[in-house]
Amino acid sequence: MNYVSPGKGYSRDSRYITTRITADVRDGYPVESGRYRLVVSRACPWASRAVIVRRLLGLEEALPMAVAGPVHDERSWSFDLDPGGRDPVLGIERLRDAYLARDPGYDRGITVPAIVDVPSGKVVTNDFARITVDMSLEWTPYHRPGAPELYPPALRPQIDAVNELVYRDVNNAVYEAGFAGSQEAYADAYARLFARLDWLHARLERARYLVGDTITEADVRLFTTLVRFDAVYHGHFKCNRYKLSEMPVLWAYARDLFQTPGFGDTVDFDHIKRHYYLVHTDINPTGIMPVGPDLAGWLAPHGRAVLGGRPFGDGTAPGPVAAGEAVPADHTPLS
């Protein structure tokens, strides 16, 4: 598979399936416990957002999850982690089967996260930005007692503004650097990335969280890039002005979130490295996966409680990870 176009910059295919699952059934898909299956890969930062939000809100029973393997080919993500290589509920080997069930002529990206309608076997949506917001706003009847408010009305304009900047200059910019086909395209992405990280450094130097005094959707979206930074983006994507661990404020902020229930306990560093180093063969043709970095630092004291803040606001932390959903012990420092 080729991710780099020589002489060109990287442009993400954003033609997502924007059908929504809502309480008012505006698009024909009602919020209904157990009807849908959230398909993710723990390797993917966009899917990891959905995994974190689902866990924070306590939607494990209402919205069951399928975890695809970290390595895929041009045909799509596959369920090679499951017995027989098939998802036990959907009965399919590859996620593409659910996309083609929705549209036999589907010619866009077969991406995660995707929510599949189990009765029909069809993908409902892969609009990752909307999926997590709708988990907060549309799935409220199934939130756990004490679920945090990740997208509070009074803060939505600020959250949206921060999310737009972080998406453009951090979440997506690391890919624009890593998949750049020209020196100019790489340099532009690199400059925007580190200018925005400097901006975030200054913002988080005086505040524990990005918006308000609690964890919000904005923190989830930044975290999934930061947690991959030293493992893959610094070297594999050439985002190498500094490692995250060399940026004191952002490193402490990321550790604070990592050590918060619902964040670090969803992170699989082995899957992350396998995906980037083994799938992107045009960037890493040898397929050699680095042994490092040392993950022990993720558990070091972060000291950010002195800034105040209430991680879950008036809510509570999520309980233990659901049965069958724990990250393998040798894939995480939390073990």
Side-chain angles (χ1 to χ4, degrees):
M1 296 178 66
N2 292 321
Y3 291 85
V4 177
S5 298
K8 299 180 181 179
Y10 171 68
S11 179
R12 182 175 298 280
D13 183 353
S14 299
R15 297 173 299 155
Y16 300 111
I17 300 173
T18 57
T19 307
R20 293 175 61 193
I21 299 167
T22 58
D24 65 5
V25 203
R26 70 190 70 174
D27 289 348
Y29 288 95
V31 171
E32 184 179 322
S33 181
R35 173 170 172 172
Y36 308 98
R37 195 148 175 81
L38 173 67
V39 180
V40 303
S41 166
R42 294 190 189 275
C44 172
W46 320 104
S48 292
R49 297 175 175 188
V51 178
I52 291 169
V53 170
R54 171 180 174 270
R55 172 147 161 66
L56 292 176
L57 298 178
L59 291 172
E60 290 92 338
E61 290 189 12
L63 185 57
M65 183 171 73
V67 180
V71 178
H72 64 73
D73 58 22
E74 67 278 358
R75 289 174 294 174
S76 84
W77 301 91
S78 59
F79 296 103
D80 50 295
L81 301 177
D82 292 302
R86 289 182 179 272
D87 178 80
V89 174
L90 299 173
I92 57 177
E93 295 180 345
R94 295 180 179 275
L95 181 56
R96 73 188 297 266
D97 296 340
Y99 277 83
L100 295 177
R102 166 75 183 253
D103 177 6
Y106 187 83
D107 62 353
R108 291 169 277 166
I110 298 173
T111 62
V112 288
I115 298 181
V116 179
D117 177 47
V118 174
S120 67
K122 299 177 181 180
V123 167
V124 178
T125 180
N126 66 340
D127 188 358
F128 65 88
R130 190 74 234 179
I131 284 173
T132 51
V133 170
D134 279 348
M135 283 183 183
S136 284
L137 302 185
E138 302 293 335
W139 288 78
T140 52
Y142 301 106
H143 288 183
R144 65 178 176 86
E149 198 169 11
L150 300 176
Y151 196 54
L155 296 179
R156 284 176 201 169
Q158 295 179 59
I159 293 171
D160 291 345
V162 169
N163 284 346
E164 182 178 356
L165 295 174
V166 168
Y167 173 80
R168 184 189 69 197
D169 297 335
V170 181
N171 301 144
N172 200 49
V174 294
Y175 284 88
E176 291 177 315
F179 293 154
S182 72
Q183 189 67 37
E184 293 76 17
Y186 164 73
D188 174 74
Y190 179 101
R192 285 189 289 107
L193 168 64
F194 282 101
R196 186 60 60 196
L197 290 178
D198 288 342
W199 180 83
L200 289 164
H201 187 283
R203 184 183 184 98
L204 290 165
E205 198 166 22
R206 57 184 183 272
R208 190 171 179 184
Y209 304 111
L210 278 173
V211 181
D213 67 348
T214 65
I215 291 167
T216 67
E217 176 85 13
D219 298 294
V220 175
R221 295 190 183 196
L222 178 57
F223 173 79
T224 58
T225 296
L226 295 183
V227 80
R228 288 162 174 74
F229 203 91
D230 287 3
V232 290
Y233 300 145
H234 178 270
H236 185 59
F237 277 178
K238 307 179 185 70
C239 300
N240 62 353
R241 189 188 76 176
Y242 298 118
K243 297 176 182 175
L244 175 66
S245 57
E246 296 168 341
M247 295 181 272
V249 170
L250 289 176
W251 177 221
Y253 165 79
R255 295 200 314 277
D256 186 4
L257 291 176
F258 186 86
Q259 295 170 29
T260 299
F263 284 83
D265 54 27
T266 70
V267 176
D268 188 319
F269 285 102
D270 179 79
H271 281 200
I272 288 168
K273 291 197 296 182
R274 285 184 185 279
H275 173 73
Y276 286 89
Y277 288 103
L278 300 183
V279 172
H280 303 156
T281 54
D282 52 345
I283 299 176
N284 187 38
T286 64
I288 294 173
M289 191 172 76
V291 175
D294 186 347
L295 301 176
W298 283 101
L299 303 183
H302 52 76
R304 288 187 58 84
V306 299
L307 294 172
R310 302 172 301 140
F312 302 104
D314 294 329
T316 59
V321 175
E325 294 190 2
V327 173
D330 57 344
H331 296 185
T332 172
L334 290 172
S335 62

